Amino acid sequence: MFKATLLKATEAGSGILRHYFNGTFEVSHKSDINDLVTQADKESEAAIVAVIREAFPDHYILSEEVGALPGDTSHKWVIDPIDGTVNFANGIPLCCVSIGLEKDGQMILGAVYNPFMNEFFFAERGQGATLNDKRIQVSAQTEVRRSCIVTGFPYTYLDTPNGPLQVFERFLRKGVPLRRLGSAAIDLCWTAAGRFDGFYEHRLQPWDSAAGYLIVEEAGGKVTNFKGEPYSPYEHGIVATNGRIHAEMLEWVNGKNQS
Ligand code: IPD
Ligand code: CA
Ligand code: CA
């Protein structure tokens, strides 16, 4: 029943993305002029919330644009109605709907769907991860120097030691291929599928990673905070890898790879 609702909600949200993509829609900004929210974000969210509310009226919902919708916190739906809004607003087909379901504080289901590539990533805790119903697994890479890494940057520059620019520079200086797709949920899913060997980002919100981090873990990968501690989507920093390069990736993001 949870899974059926998750699929229905993902489909409802992605229908809105398809409807507005490359069309006309209202755009406004949030924390910064480039932190956008579109009419499609709001309508996708409304469609997703309606599906979940209909099936489980008493569940708690945390969704990017409306925030927290009170309910029984033993079941928490964590929603990003469009992850990759800047891409969406520019007609770049790297964006998705992302929905995670947490039960008693543990993420148990995650779905990320990019309707423009028709890629549906899904994971259920303990059951593995799939892309369009086929099992996926993380890459076999063992060295960061030979890895293909993906990252993202916050809308508001983080002027802290060891911040996004410094970490980015470290990879660049060593010639490591580094990508920035513009959707943390897709970054995580592509890491789960072995397209990337690792992903890191300094400042995510729960809805960016809720589904994707479970998908990485269920594909055999490892996800932690920058200290290497077990990941929680309620903290900002994330390092997600194939597991094999994880310890080394932590050294790179923390500036300890000086060899
Ligand atoms: C953003 C994307 C981006 C990441 C930002 C997020 P949004 O989410 O996931 O890749 O770098 O930190 O805020 O605004 O498109 O939902
Ligand atoms: Ca997001
Ligand atoms: Ca969003």
Side-chain angles (χ1 to χ4, degrees):
M1 183 64 180
F2 292 150
K3 182 175 174 183
T5 301
L6 178 69
L7 300 188
K8 197 173 164 193
T10 307
E11 191 46 50
S14 58
I16 305 288
L17 272 66
R18 276 197 208 96
H19 174 78
Y20 282 111
F21 191 67
N22 272 331
T24 310
F25 46 83
E26 283 166 28
V27 184
S28 50
H29 61 82
K30 301 191 283 185
S31 66
D32 179 84
I33 50 164
N34 289 313
D35 184 5
L36 307 180
V37 56
T38 71
Q39 187 178 356
D41 291 81
K42 292 177 186 163
E43 290 186 22
S44 169
E45 179 171 76
I48 294 166
V49 168
V51 170
I52 296 169
R53 274 277 183 260
E54 191 190 2
F56 302 108
D58 55 336
H59 285 184
Y60 183 97
I61 292 175
L62 176 64
S63 187
E64 179 170 12
E65 313 306 339
V66 286
L69 300 176
D72 174 3
T73 52
S74 66
H75 289 85
K76 237 179 186 178
W77 296 81
V78 187
I79 302 163
D80 197 333
I82 302 181
D83 188 53
T85 292
V86 173
N87 285 348
F88 180 86
N90 286 282
I92 299 168
L94 280 171
C95 44
C96 60
V97 170
S98 170
I99 307 175
L101 173 62
E102 203 181 285
K103 182 171 185 287
D104 299 325
Q106 194 184 43
M107 204 62 66
I108 57 162
L109 287 181
V112 171
Y113 182 51
N114 175 354
F116 309 110
M117 294 180 75
N118 191 29
E119 290 199 328
F120 179 73
F121 294 90
F122 173 77
E124 183 167 358
R125 184 165 292 280
Q127 303 297 316
T130 54
L131 163 55
N132 295 344
D133 291 327
K134 291 200 180 102
R135 280 296 277 267
I136 48 171
Q137 62 179 33
V138 292
S139 75
Q141 183 54 253
T142 57
E143 276 177 68
V144 171
R145 281 294 300 271
R146 292 168 192 268
S147 290
C148 186
I149 304 294
V150 65
T151 189
F153 307 117
Y155 293 112
T156 310
Y157 185 65
L158 272 183
D159 206 0
T160 53
N162 212 27
L165 253 186
Q166 280 168 287
V167 177
F168 191 73
E169 186 180 354
R170 257 171 233 147
F171 286 100
L172 241 60
R173 283 189 183 280
K174 301 277 186 186
V176 176
L178 192 59
R179 303 288 181 260
R180 197 285 196 244
L181 302 186
S183 161
I186 292 178
D187 297 339
L188 284 162
C189 290
W190 287 23
T191 302
R195 295 172 184 169
F196 295 121
D197 305 299
F199 164 65
Y200 71 90
E201 187 156 348
H202 285 74
R203 178 146 302 186
L204 289 186
Q205 301 298 332
W207 40 82
D208 298 317
S209 64
Y213 100 88
L214 178 65
I215 293 169
V216 172
E217 288 186 346
E218 288 298 323
K222 184 164 179 173
V223 188
T224 67
N225 62 16
F226 275 31
K227 291 186 198 151
E229 296 161 348
Y231 183 67
S232 157
Y234 300 98
E235 60 183 314
H236 293 308
I238 186 169
V239 178
T241 71
N242 64 3
R244 297 167 178 92
I245 61 162
H246 204 87
E248 204 199 334
M249 266 291 277
L250 287 171
E251 292 180 3
W252 284 68
V253 299
N254 289 302
K256 293 178 183 155
N257 65 318
Q258 301 309 331
S259 59

